[in-house]
Amino acid sequence: MTARNISRFWEWGRKIICVGRNYADHAKELKNAIPTEPILFLKPPSAYVREGSSILVPRYSNNLHHEVELGVVIGKGGTAIPESVAMEHVAGYALCLDMTARDVQDVCKSKGLPWTRAKAFNTSCPVSEFIPKERIPDPGNVTLWLKVNDQLRQNGCTSQMIFSIPYLISYISEFITLEEGDLILTGTPKGVSAVQEHDQLQAGIQDVVTMSFRVDRQEK
Ligand SMILES: CC(=O)CC(=O)C(=O)O
Ligand SMILES: [Mg+2]
C-alpha cells in the first residue's frame, strides 16, 4: 500500500468542519447576530473540487454565493485539545471557498432547518494546493481576497476573526475528535455575492497562493 501524503488531504475522505459568522462584518452584511460561541456545520468529502474542474450551481438554486475562507489542515489528531497546544496539531493550510446556495440557506433558516442542502452539495468546497505550516507563520494575520471576472468582491484579513484558530481547534475537539487530514474552514469576511454560470473566480491568500475556478450549472 502506498503511503498517504497530507499534501493531498482532500483525497483522504476526512471531515470538513466549517465555522459560520466568524467575522463581524460578514455577520452584519447578512443581518445576522454576532455569535458568542462558534457556529459549526459540516461538509462531506464529496464537496471537494480542485482547480481544473468547475464549481457546479446546484439545479435547485438560483443564488449561489462565494465565501473565501482560510482552511486549516489537521496534521495530528486529538480530542479535547487545549488551546495552548492547538497549533501543534496543524499540518498546514489551504485556501478554500465555502460555496453557499443562499436562497436555500434562507429557507432553511426561516424554518429552523439544518443548512446541509445549502452548504454540503457536490463542489461546494473548492480548495487550493496544500500550504505547509511554515509558509504562513502568522495565520491570524493574512489577507484573503476573491475576484469574480476580475472584479474584487472580498478582501479581508484573518485578524478580524472573532474566534482564533487555536480557540476553534480546542472548541471543536471537545466534542468532535479531530483526525489527521481533517479540514477546518474558518469563516468568511464581508463581500459575499452571487455567481453565475460561466463566471471565473480567482482567489488568493496575499502572496502565498492563488487559485481559479469556472462556474457551470449542474446538468439536468
Ligand atoms: C451565513 C453563513 O453562511 C455562515 C458562513 O458560512 C460564514 O462563513 O460566515
Ligand atoms: Mg462560510
Side-chain angles (χ1 to χ4, degrees), residues 19-22 26 30 32 41 67 69 98 100 102 105 115 119 187-188:
V19 182
R21 302 181 195 157
N22 200 20
H26 170 60
L30 293 188
N32 291 315
F41 57 93
E67 296 188 359
E69 309 199 4
D98 169 17
T100 302
R102 196 69 71 198
Q105 187 190 31
W115 298 349
K119 291 281 199 180
T188 196

Side-chain angles (χ1 to χ4, degrees), residues 147-195:
K147 293 179 182 177
V148 179
N149 302 329
D150 281 331
Q151 286 200 324
L152 188 64
R153 297 277 175 87
Q154 291 190 269
N155 188 25
C157 184
T158 56
S159 61
Q160 294 160 350
M161 282 184 195
I162 298 169
F163 304 107
S164 70
I165 292 168
Y167 182 84
L168 290 170
I169 290 172
S170 181
Y171 180 90
I172 293 166
S173 67
E174 197 59 46
F175 62 102
I176 300 177
T177 293
L178 290 175
E179 300 165 283
E180 190 184 7
D182 284 350
L183 177 71
I184 301 173
L185 265 62
T186 56
T188 196
K190 73 172 180 194
V192 301
S193 67
V195 298

